[in-house]
Amino acid sequence: MAERSLYPDTEPYDHGHLDVGDGNRVYWETCGNPHGRPALVLHGGPGSGAGPFYRRWFDPERYRVVLLDQRGAGRSTPPASAYTTDMSVNTIPHLIADLELLRAHLGIERWLVAGLSFGSVLGLRYAQTHPGAVTGLVLTGLATGSREEVRTMMRGLGRVFPEAHAAFVAGVPEADRDGDLAAAYNRLLESPDAGVRERAALAWTDWETAMASLPPRSVPRYQDPVFRYGFARTVTHYWSRDHFLDGPSTVLRDLPRLKGIPGVLVQGTLDLNNLIGIPWRIARDWPDAELVMVDAAGHDAGAEGIAQQLVAATDRFGRP
């Protein structure tokens, strides 16, 4: 069967805010066929929020597609961009509990789970802890939330982008420059001084932009100071705390729990997480997954080759 590009966008036929406790209300929407195969999409970041692009991975005639903005992101409330928002109740266990509340709210027994970047971390952990709720996984921009991955982003890539990394390191107090940079930035982003928070958010997103492996090396949403702060605050909150997992490589350790769950892993050959072999390690320890490498593509799920493979994967799972 020939690969195809993304499906046309479709508007949600239903949406709402689900009260998940701790003062949080998670935004969700459903689109496609109300009687179709249920599919859940998990956005990246953490903190990026969901958007219309994710709907286009699925045939709207075959799928009932569920999107949500994870705690603090997008249209969910309260936003991480509000300094008074309590981030202590924004963890992977909280996000997984939210998914189960949403699944029950929508009356879904099992669903296909798709995820991008941090969405692949969350999707893998959700499937490891709730395998009976997952019919399959389609993941791209692969990540597992391991301490090794964070160390690569914070230190290892400094050898690849030395000028940008020097500016990034200089953005924290001198006493913190040889330590945990994600933790140092998180402390700045939690400062009571708005100017300190704003400068830290800009320095963080400048480094995120510099790490892009392919042009264009710009991210328009980072120009929005509200998004920029909420995003940087959420990422550093997770990265400085082992993603709130029970160890430095929990998802990698528990990959054997996915036995019997089929998966498709779509990865660009120029995605920088390949430098420590994350896609190969996932595929090695999860025999029911197929790894599809896309030449000359990076971390961008919108790249034509990656988009084609994502649609091919969901088409396959959507067959009768």
Side-chain angles (χ1 to χ4, degrees), residues 15 43 47 116 153 165 194 206 211 232 279 285 299:
H15 69 278
H43 65 71
L116 164 64
M153 299 299 175
H165 192 257
D206 281 350
M211 287 190 287
D285 294 334
H299 197 67

Side-chain angles (χ1 to χ4, degrees), residues 6 53-54 57 116-117 140-142 212-216 218 221 266-272 294 296-308 310:
L6 296 167
F53 166 72
Y54 294 100
W57 296 3
L116 164 64
S117 194
T140 189
L142 298 171
S213 58
L214 289 168
S218 63
R221 63 187 179 175
V266 180
Q267 186 81 347
T269 58
L270 299 180
D271 191 312
L272 294 175
V294 179
H299 197 67
D300 180 10
E304 180 64 18
I306 290 181
Q308 287 179 337
L310 291 171

Side-chain angles (χ1 to χ4, degrees), residues 93-107:
H94 285 101
L95 300 186
I96 288 175
D98 295 349
L99 298 182
E100 283 296 275
L101 285 172
L102 181 58
R103 185 171 67 86
H105 176 72
L106 297 176

Side-chain angles (χ1 to χ4, degrees), residues 143-315:
T144 69
S146 70
R147 191 177 299 172
E148 184 181 6
E149 290 163 73
V150 172
R151 190 182 303 119
T152 298
M153 299 299 175
M154 295 293 89
R155 294 289 180 183
L157 291 179
R159 295 190 293 272
V160 182
F161 308 108
E163 183 177 4
H165 192 257
F168 177 61
V169 173
V172 302
E174 187 171 359
D176 293 333
R177 292 176 185 171
D178 293 327
D180 183 335
L181 290 173
Y185 268 98
N186 187 247
R187 287 191 290 272
L188 295 175
L189 290 159
E190 296 295 346
S191 168
D193 186 325
V196 170
R197 299 197 301 268
E198 290 168 7
R199 289 190 294 273
L202 181 59
W204 183 271
T205 54
D206 281 350
W207 175 238
E208 291 258 4
T209 302
M211 287 190 287
S213 58
L214 289 168
R217 291 186 174 88
S218 63
V219 183
R221 63 187 179 175
Y222 291 165
Q223 303 308 310
D224 176 357
V226 174
F227 175 86
R228 185 168 65 216
Y229 173 65
F231 174 80
R233 185 187 191 193
T234 306
V235 174
T236 57
H237 173 68
Y238 275 80
W239 285 21
S240 62
R241 296 172 175 86
D242 284 331
H243 286 75
F244 300 95
L245 298 167
D246 62 9
S249 57
T250 298
V251 172
L252 286 168
R253 179 198 70 198
D254 288 346
L255 285 169
R257 292 189 185 183
L258 300 178
K259 183 178 180 180
I261 298 176
V264 177
L265 312 172
V266 180
Q267 186 81 347
T269 58
L270 299 180
D271 191 312
L272 294 175
N273 244 359
N274 300 346
L275 294 172
I276 54 174
I278 292 300
W280 177 80
R281 290 157 74 178
I282 296 173
R284 178 194 64 188
D285 294 334
W286 177 17
D288 295 290
E290 174 191 358
L291 176 60
V292 180
M293 300 299 295
V294 179
D295 286 336
H299 197 67
D300 180 10
E304 180 64 18
I306 290 181
Q308 287 179 337
Q309 291 296 338
L310 291 171
V311 169
T314 61
D315 281 352

